[in-house]
Amino acid sequence: MSTIVLVLPVAQVTVSQGRAVATATVTNNGSVAQSIVLGVFPPAAGGASGASAVAWTSVDRPQRDLQPGATEQFTVTFTPPAGTASGTYAARFIAYSAYGAPEESADQARRLEVVVPSVAPPPPRPGTPWWVWVVAAALVLVVGTVAFLVLRPSDPCPGGSCASPFPSPTPTPTVVVEGITWTLTGIREGDAITVPASKKASLRVEGSTVSGSSGCNSYKGTWKRDGETVAVSDIATTLVLCLPKEVAQQGAKFLSILRSATRVTTDGDTMQLLTDDDRALRFQRA
């Protein structure tokens, strides 16, 4: 029998203003310290109805070290993407040893339902009377005619030629990131640069969604970009045990820098995500 006890104080939460939050309590009832993972899994096959909420579920610090008898609270956030159909979704939570398999603690699995409510359409705005538009158009026509007659120069183009008052602007280089699969080639922390231990780490942006692999686990989150300014949030990952430890360490660094990224640059077939604390992820177009 597992010495790890998982308690969910509620069986259902409702999304409000784009998100819902729940708290899970995990206790180490064993006699030795344990490194415990709170994993998120699809609802059990053949169980109660409910589509999976795993793709948009994230756990704050999903792996923690607990001393004998210690209890930790894990914050679970549900952020369904825009356009998610209303209805009841579900996720299954298992607290298990980081050095074991989730199945070993499956008897402790707990189900949580997430309700995405339907959004009522906004009430129709009252129409503007037709005569208001007629008066406005007539007023604009009168003012424009008077201004033209008063302000026009007697000879707008001395000498017979006029230079354009609006020269063509110098084009600004466009940063192209979306719709491309990028493969990780380097991780920089200050002056230290490391080559990825796994060749599988990747990133791809489609619309407002960023996804890929940290080298072992898959991830998915929200992507916002304005020019070179970026913000990555609401990252949810699978919780596969990564071996060797170099691959696990790379995955942790990758996700930490990705969550903190504030700027993106491209140069031909290379792309960098940079943070304000002098860290960076370097990618090559796949």
Side-chain angles (χ1 to χ4, degrees):
M1 181 177 179
S2 174
T3 59
I4 302 172
V5 178
L6 168 62
V7 176
L8 292 176
V10 296
Q12 187 180 86
V13 293
T14 301
V15 173
S16 176
Q17 296 183 347
R19 68 199 298 261
V21 178
T23 300
T25 301
V26 178
T27 302
N28 177 13
N29 279 346
S31 58
V32 297
Q34 298 192 69
S35 183
I36 298 176
V37 176
L38 179 60
V40 188
F41 303 90
S49 61
S52 175
V54 171
W56 33 270
T57 302
S58 61
V59 179
D60 180 40
R61 294 172 48 230
Q63 181 173 338
R64 307 185 191 181
D65 296 329
L66 272 70
Q67 296 298 317
T71 297
E72 285 267 352
Q73 289 190 330
F74 292 69
T75 300
V76 182
T77 304
F78 305 92
T79 52
T84 299
S86 60
T88 300
Y89 298 77
R92 191 163 51 107
F93 295 86
I94 301 177
Y96 61 95
S97 170
Y99 302 103
E103 292 77 9
E104 297 175 4
S105 301
D107 60 325
Q108 295 287 334
R110 297 292 182 267
R111 174 189 171 93
L112 183 62
E113 294 184 344
V114 185
V115 177
V116 178
S118 58
V119 179
R125 298 179 60 183
T128 303
W130 65 269
W131 58 266
V132 173
W133 297 109
V134 174
V135 172
L139 183 59
V140 170
L141 180 61
V142 171
V143 172
T145 302
V146 172
F148 173 75
L149 295 175
V150 171
L151 300 177
R152 67 173 179 174
S154 58
D155 186 2
C157 297
S161 64
C162 292
S164 171
F166 302 106
S168 300
T170 301
T172 302
T174 301
V175 176
V176 178
V177 176
E178 292 78 1
I180 300 171
T181 299
W182 300 94
T183 301
L184 183 70
T185 59
I187 300 176
R188 180 173 63 79
E189 296 175 290
D191 294 330
I193 300 176
T194 58
V195 177
S198 168
K199 303 299 183 182
K200 299 180 180 179
S202 63
L203 177 146
R204 185 177 179 87
V205 178
E206 295 289 351
S208 61
T209 300
V210 60
S211 61
S213 169
S214 65
C216 173
N217 279 290
S218 299
Y219 67 88
K220 186 177 183 180
T222 300
W223 170 275
K224 295 181 180 179
R225 180 171 74 87
D226 183 7
E228 291 190 352
T229 301
V230 298
V232 182
S233 60
D234 301 328
I235 293 181
T237 71
T238 57
L239 295 172
V240 176
L241 180 63
C242 302
L243 294 174
K245 67 177 182 179
E246 290 80 5
V247 174
Q249 291 170 348
Q250 170 197 300
K253 289 181 180 180
F254 179 93
L255 293 173
S256 173
I257 297 175
L258 181 61
R259 288 188 175 99
S260 303
T262 58
R263 190 162 62 92
V264 60
T265 63
T266 58
D267 182 8
D269 289 337
T270 63
M271 186 258 293
Q272 287 193 92
L273 287 175
L274 304 101
T275 69
D276 291 337
D277 57 355
D278 198 24
R279 296 182 296 160
L281 298 174
R282 183 178 178 87
F283 298 87
Q284 185 79 24
R285 183 193 293 258

